[in-house]
Every structure is written in structure tokens, then in C-alpha cells.
């Protein structure tokens, strides 16, 4: 049931960010009731020009920015900087994605802004943070995963290196931490009346995703030292040597006869037993800790012998954590996700494109804490601001 009052009713966000991390963060805040004023340079931010397009509007831009006001400011010009300063003076939250020092060079130093406006919550999202030897470096998602060692946990092979399909650093290292910390800062402001500056470094959060490998690595190194041996770094070597990155037959992708994949996540013994029973794995191979490679090879051969439809019908009803890998189109049509309404919230294209709509980015916000799904969320053109969208 939709609540009459939303958590962020009355909150104003000035969003200076571009592309994915900041815009996704401000979209979540908008869905929770905040008014988001998106500030773009003349001609619009880069994402407006990303293909594909629906009518004249970029589809990637639309799914991230529907329901926000869009204004155009040239921050190289003093009158526009003054206008931005006036907007910030009335705002609760600022989100920006410039390299460290850029706002100060524009005469909008974050320290000065929070000093002048004690209740302001100022969130800067960057690759490597506001300080440290790499703070001025450029980077993208792949670079942050590579530098932090996360990519080493599943890099593929030299012949077929793996490019991660998900933008983990942008979303889970940028947008999500920004929202979490902004909400925490709002709560503390409720208690103290004071805002703060928030430094979100996308690279930092990549170590969160390596938590298991880090724990195992520390244990290996500590064990070597405790046994009187020389401490080695082998515990942090990464590549396919942990339970969740390819070492275990219980947590694997197995190809089917028709070149689909079966995702097996049968970690617990009861699931593993059910899976082994279903595929008739020989008893000598079920104790997979004895020779994981032999067990994995045998399972591979069995799964490869039949097509995906066979394994879907046999395994998915058995509740043994086995799933055929779906395409995005298949996943979107799955009755479960349809029933949960994940794609019900639509963006309306700009005025000339009213025959086009597209679902906005799927957000992890409970229905009762966000705007009603049938509330119009229009995508505005650059410089188009006409009050609360």
C-alpha cells in the first residue's frame, strides 16, 4: 500500500553528477520523495547522447533521470555559478562527481559551502576518494575492480579474459554507498541539526566484495606464520582458488548440450545430495572434497549430455539451488518478476516523444517507501525546469 507521506518529502537535492553512479543515487532519492534538481552543462550531460534512443531521447539517460528537474548552467560563467550557489543555499543535499578540487576551483569549495550552510549534506562520488596518492587519477568500473584485486578472483583465462557484465564499482561502490551515507547523514542531522561532507570512493567498496577471499587469505598467512613457516601471500592469490570463484564443483556454471548454462549453487550438503541424486552422480564422486577436479569433470560431462530444457524440468522443481541461466528478455518475462511489479514504473519521454515509454531502472526500494507506480515520471530536456515533476 502506498503511504501518503514519503520518507524524503520536503527534501531538495541538487545533483551535479553525470553518467551512472550519482544519477542512480539521486533517482533513488527522488523515488523516496525528494525533489531532485539535475544541473547539466550546456547541451546536456554525456549520458543524454548514449545510444540507443527512443524518439529523440537516450534510453539509458531516461531510465536514470525520469522525474527530475533539469536545468542548464555553465559553471565557467560567474552568473551561473552564482545561480548554483543560490540553489545550494536552499538545498538539503548536494551530489557531485567531479575530480577532487574542481568545485573549489569554481569558487564553490565544499568546506565553505558546509560552513555557510550547516545543515547541508554534501556527497562527492569519485573513483579513489578526495585524498590519497590516486585521488586525481581517472578511471572506470573495470579499472577499480582491477586495481583492488576483485577482478583477479574471476579473470577468465589468458585466451578468454572475462570482462565483468555488471558495473559493480559504479552501482555498488558509488550509487549504493552514496544513498546509504546520505540517509545516515539525514538521520544524524535530525538529531544534531548539522549536515556533513561525505567522501564516496568507488574503489574502496570493491574490497567489501572480496570479503571472503580476504578472510581466507588472512587465515592462510596467519596459519603459515603460526606453524613456524615464512609468511606468504599465497592466500591472496585470487584466480579461481576459492569456493565461490570456481574451486568447488558445488558452485559452478556447467554447459548444456545446446550451449546454455546450468548455474549450480548447491553449497549446503542437503542441496548437494539432492543435486547428485537427480543427475545420478556416482557415489565415489559425491565426496567432492577428495578430488574436486574429478567431481567437476564428471558433473560437466553429465550436464553437457542433455539440453537446457531437460535440466530445467528436472532440477528447478527439486529446490536444490540449480537454475538455467536466462537471458535478460527471458528473465523480464518470468511470472515471478512480473508478479512483483519490478518493471511497472515507466518513464515518459519528452513532450515530442509522448508515444514512447520505458521502465525506469529497477530500484531496491520497498513499494510503500517510494512514489506510486502510476505517478507520471517525465524525462525533461536540457534546461527544462518547471517545478516539482
Amino acid at each position: 500500500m502506498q503511504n501518503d507521506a514519503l520518507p524524503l518529502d520536503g527534501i531538495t537535492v541538487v545533483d551535479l553528477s553525470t553518467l551512472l553512479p550519482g544519477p542512480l543515487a539521486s533517482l533513488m532519492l527522488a523515488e523516496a520523495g525528494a525533489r531532485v534538481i539535475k544541473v547539466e552543462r550546456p547541451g546536456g550531460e554525456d549520458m543524454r547522447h548514449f545510444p540507443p534512443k527512443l524518439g529523440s531521447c537516450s534510453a539509458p539517460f531516461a531510465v536514470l533521470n525520469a522525474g527530475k528537474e533539469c536545468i542548464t548552467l555553465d559553471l565557467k560563467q560567474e552568473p551561473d555559478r552564482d545561480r548554483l550557489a543560490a540553489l545550494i543555499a536552499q538545498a538539503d543535499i548536494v551530489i557531485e562527481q567531479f575530480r577532487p578540487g574542481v568545485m573549489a576551483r569554481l569558487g564553490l569549495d565544499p568546506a565553505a559551502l558546509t560552513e555557510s550552510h550547516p545543515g547541508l549534506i554534501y556527497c562527492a562520488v569519485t573513483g579513489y576518494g578526495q585524498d590519497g596518492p590516486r585521488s586525481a587519477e581517472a578511471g572506470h568500473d573495470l579499472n577499480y575492480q582491477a586495481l583492488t584485486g576483485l577482478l583477479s578472483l574471476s579473470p577468465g583465462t589468458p585466451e578468454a579474459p572475462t570482462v565483468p557484465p555488471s558495473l559493480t564499482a559504479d552501482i555498488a561502490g558509488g550509487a549504493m554507498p552514496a544513498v546509504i551515507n546520505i540517509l545516515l547523514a539525514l538521520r544524524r542531522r535530525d538529531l544534531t541539526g548539522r549536515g556533513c561532507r561525505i567522501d564516496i570512493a568507488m574503489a574502496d567498496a570493491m574490497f567489501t566484495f572480496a570479503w571472503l577471499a580476504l578472510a581466507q587469505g588472512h587465515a592462510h598467512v596467519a596459519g603459515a606464520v603460526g606453524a613456524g613457516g615464512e609468511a606468504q601471500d599465497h592466500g591472496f592469490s585470487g584466480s579461481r582458488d576459492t569456493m565461490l570463484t570456481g574451486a568447488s564443483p558445488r558452485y559452478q556454471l556447467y554447459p548444456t548440450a545446446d550451449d546454455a548454462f546450468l548455474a549450480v549453487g548447491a553449497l549446503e550438503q542437503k542441496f548437494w545430495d539432492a543435486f547428485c541424486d537427480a543427475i545420478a552422480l556416482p557415489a565415489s564422486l559425491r565426496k567432492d572434497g577428495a578430488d574436486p577436479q574429478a567431481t567437476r569433470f564428471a558433473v560437466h560431462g553429465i550436464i553437457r549430455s542433455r539440453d537446457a530444457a531437460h535440466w530445467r524440468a528436472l532440477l528447478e522443481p527439486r529446490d536444490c539451488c540449480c537454475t538455467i541461466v536466462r537471458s535478460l528478455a527471458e528473465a523480464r518475462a518470468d511470472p515471478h518478476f512480473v508478479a512483483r511489479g519490478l518493471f511497472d514504473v515507466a518513464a515518459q519521454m519528452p513532450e515530442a516523444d509522448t508515444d514512447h515509454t520505458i521502465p525506469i531502472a529497477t530500484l531496491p526500494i520497498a513499494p510503500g517507501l517510494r512514489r506510486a507506480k502510476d505517478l507520471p515520471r517525465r524525462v525533461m530536456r536540457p534546461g527544462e525546469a518547471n517545478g516539482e515533476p
Side-chain angles (χ1 to χ4, degrees), residues 35 43 55 88 95 114-115 122 126 147 173 183 194 206 223 282 299 302-303 318 347 360:
R35 177 190 185 194
I88 292 173
I95 301 174
T114 52
E115 181 72 23
Y122 187 103
T126 60
L147 186 65
L183 296 180
R194 297 194 64 83
M206 296 304 91
V299 173
I302 294 170
I303 302 303
R318 286 179 178 251
I360 69 168

Side-chain angles (χ1 to χ4, degrees), residues 1-6 366-370 372:
M1 180 179 294
Q2 180 69 40
N3 293 331
D4 292 333
L6 293 174
L369 298 175
R370 66 185 294 182

Side-chain angles (χ1 to χ4, degrees), residues 181-224:
N181 283 277
I182 285 169
L183 296 180
L184 291 173
L186 282 171
R187 175 57 182 145
R188 189 170 69 176
R189 191 180 74 169
D190 290 342
L191 300 173
T192 67
R194 297 194 64 83
C196 63
R197 298 198 303 278
I198 299 169
D199 175 11
I200 300 296
M202 288 181 274
D204 288 359
M206 296 304 91
F207 290 106
T208 305
F209 289 88
W211 68 273
L212 179 59
L214 287 168
Q216 291 171 329
H218 281 293
H220 284 306
V221 171

Side-chain angles (χ1 to χ4, degrees), residues 264-339:
V264 175
L267 291 172
E268 294 87 346
Q269 192 62 39
K270 65 178 181 179
F271 297 137
W272 177 247
D273 289 341
F275 171 64
C276 292
D277 289 344
I279 69 170
L281 186 70
S284 61
L285 294 167
R286 296 188 183 195
K287 292 184 178 180
D288 56 305
D291 189 345
Q293 186 172 356
T295 299
R296 184 167 60 247
F297 182 79
V299 173
H300 178 280
I302 294 170
I303 302 303
R304 191 64 161 160
S305 71
R306 305 295 293 268
D307 64 17
H310 171 82
W311 296 119
R312 179 182 299 181
L314 178 68
L315 293 171
E316 291 190 0
R318 286 179 178 251
D319 192 33
C320 58
C321 302
C322 295
T323 312
I324 292 295
V325 175
R326 265 66 161 184
S327 70
L328 279 174
E330 291 170 330
R332 193 177 184 280
D334 188 288
H336 174 78
F337 301 120
V338 172

Side-chain angles (χ1 to χ4, degrees), residues 151-164 238-240 245-246 252 296:
L151 192 54
S152 75
L153 301 178
S154 187
T157 66
E159 296 76 24
T162 298
V163 177
S239 186
R240 299 184 63 81
T245 56
Q252 283 285 339
R296 184 167 60 247

